[in-house]
Amino acid sequence: MTTATGPGQSEADRGDKGGVRTALAGLTTRGRSFLAAGIAAAICAYVLGQSDLLRVGLLLAVLPLVCAGVLYRTRYRVAGSRRLSPARVPAGSEARVHLRMDNVSRLPTGLLMLQDRVPYVLGPRPRFVLDRVEPGGRREVSYRVRSDLRGRYPLGPLQLRLTDPFGMCELTRSFSTHDTLTVIPRVESLPPVRFSGEAKGYGDGRQRSLALAGEDDVIPRGYRYGDDLRRVHWRSTARYGELMVRREEQPQRARCTVLLDTRGLAFHGAGPDSAFEWAVSGAASALVHMLERGFSVRLLTDTGSSVPGEGADGFAGASQESADAAGLMMDTLAVIDHSDGTGLSRAYDVLRGGNEGLLVAFLGDLDEEQAAVAAKMRQRSGGAVAFVLDSGGWGREPADGLVPPDRREERLRMLREAGWTVLGVPRGSSLTDLWRQADRERAGIGAAGEGAPA
């Protein structure tokens, strides 16, 4: 919620120094017509010597000036606030914006016209007419916004338009604050499957590491306030001269890296139905699904940048940290765009640091060199699933992509031979169906491997 005070203390009002100029600039068409008619009548009365016509002309000319002066000198204070519900919404869904106006002065207001600035992508600019607000009173209105394009959209500043009872003058006052609506990619609900790379026997996607392998293999740590005294390791306490306790059995969550290819040369087309938007939505769906299954997840792009970051291991940690990391990854995907990179080598440099667990990749068009780099990524992961998009077939008029069909199949075969579970993604594909198909293909590969002679 953002709050500002106006119009008497709004930013625009504080900056108005030329009072007469500001008041005259606010004259409406009616006010200007009255002023022009009054001046014309006064000139005619002077020329013709008609004193009665002069009085009429003065009345017509003075009325809009008096209205403008009175309206400009109005100093009642109005506080405005805005609340988004929710502040983060998937593409294609609606969010509601709640506006509240509070009269914090001792005088009642006149007729108020309220207007909020919104980007054209979110719809038409909302306008409201508020009746007289009593001292200490409030008025609440709301409107809906919707966008099919992900991104971050500013809402505001809120504008308050004042008018006199005769409609001679209108003055606009702007509040200084604004809010931001974040439109994240669409997220599909994926079915639970078991890919290779996740541990078995301890829930879904979790594995257990034992800190106690025996009395001689124990790795103690310093005593912390609140530790159970029954965990005190007396041998280490005597050795180090301070109170030491045994480490508890620590549950460790399996890891998953979601790789998103953002190279501009790997995707053609733009808009909500483009191949790149499908890849972004697929990455978001995979991230949410893996976090719900208890994985430690990170988002990696072809540029080598990872989210939530390069902390201890670059992955989300405990449950609260996972929630924060999920929000950070969704915010990143909301504004992610094509990169200027030409290859996947930077992402490979990040992956080759150690065991990365499960790797889920959303890739665009691959040439032979980049297919070889992607094939090597499999060596550093417990399991690897790739969804490869032929962006050339995602246009409104399907055509051959950058890579001919025979060579495209050759690239997919290279990844399969390296141990990837690979699926081509034609236009209009459902990630849910491809997710199940990937699990069936992986299970088929695993069964074939178990049936092969040692």
Side-chain angles (χ1 to χ4, degrees), residues 114-137:
L114 194 63
Q115 175 178 279
D116 205 9
R117 285 188 177 183
V118 299
Y120 71 94
V121 178
L122 300 182
R125 183 171 294 183
R127 294 180 175 89
F128 305 94
V129 177
L130 304 182
D131 295 332
R132 175 181 177 273
V133 183
E134 65 280 1

Side-chain angles (χ1 to χ4, degrees), residues 198-200 202 205-209 250-255:
E198 55 180 290
K200 301 179 180 179
Y202 187 52
R206 294 189 176 182
Q207 59 186 4
R208 181 173 295 196
S209 66
Q250 300 289 340
Q252 292 183 351
R253 301 196 300 175
R255 295 179 174 181

Side-chain angles (χ1 to χ4, degrees), residues 150-268:
R150 55 186 176 81
R152 293 173 62 88
Y153 300 100
L155 300 179
L158 193 63
Q159 293 181 333
L160 193 63
R161 182 174 296 178
L162 308 176
T163 183
D164 65 281
F166 300 101
M168 298 290 180
C169 183
E170 288 183 355
L171 294 181
T172 301
R173 297 292 183 261
S174 297
F175 296 88
S176 59
T177 54
H178 65 276
D179 290 279
T180 301
L181 175 67
T182 302
V183 181
I184 62 176
R186 294 185 180 91
V187 175
E188 292 188 38
S189 179
L190 302 180
V193 297
R194 181 174 292 279
F195 291 129
S196 60
E198 55 180 290
K200 301 179 180 179
Y202 187 52
D204 291 331
R206 294 189 176 182
Q207 59 186 4
R208 181 173 295 196
S209 66
L210 299 179
L212 298 179
E215 193 70 17
D216 296 333
D217 298 328
V218 67
I219 303 178
R221 61 168 176 83
Y223 176 81
R224 300 172 184 171
Y225 178 78
D227 287 338
D228 191 348
L229 292 178
R230 290 175 295 182
R231 291 171 47 210
V232 173
H233 191 257
W234 297 108
R235 183 180 301 176
S236 299
T237 299
R239 178 183 303 174
Y240 295 104
E242 60 176 327
L243 202 59
M244 307 291 289
V245 296
R246 295 182 177 89
R247 293 181 184 271
E248 290 182 332
E249 185 178 357
Q250 300 289 340
Q252 292 183 351
R253 301 196 300 175
R255 295 179 174 181
C256 175
T257 298
V258 177
L259 173 62
L260 176 61
D261 184 6
T262 64
R263 296 173 298 141
L265 55 83
F267 295 93
H268 275 184

Side-chain angles (χ1 to χ4, degrees), residues 320-336:
Q320 182 61 39
E321 295 177 358
S322 297
D324 296 339
L328 180 59
M329 287 185 284
M330 290 297 106
D331 290 344
T332 301
L333 290 176
V335 297
I336 200 167

Side-chain angles (χ1 to χ4, degrees), residues 22 108 159 227 275 306 308 377 384 422-423:
T22 302
Q159 293 181 333
D227 287 338
S306 62
M377 294 180 183
V422 184
L423 292 178

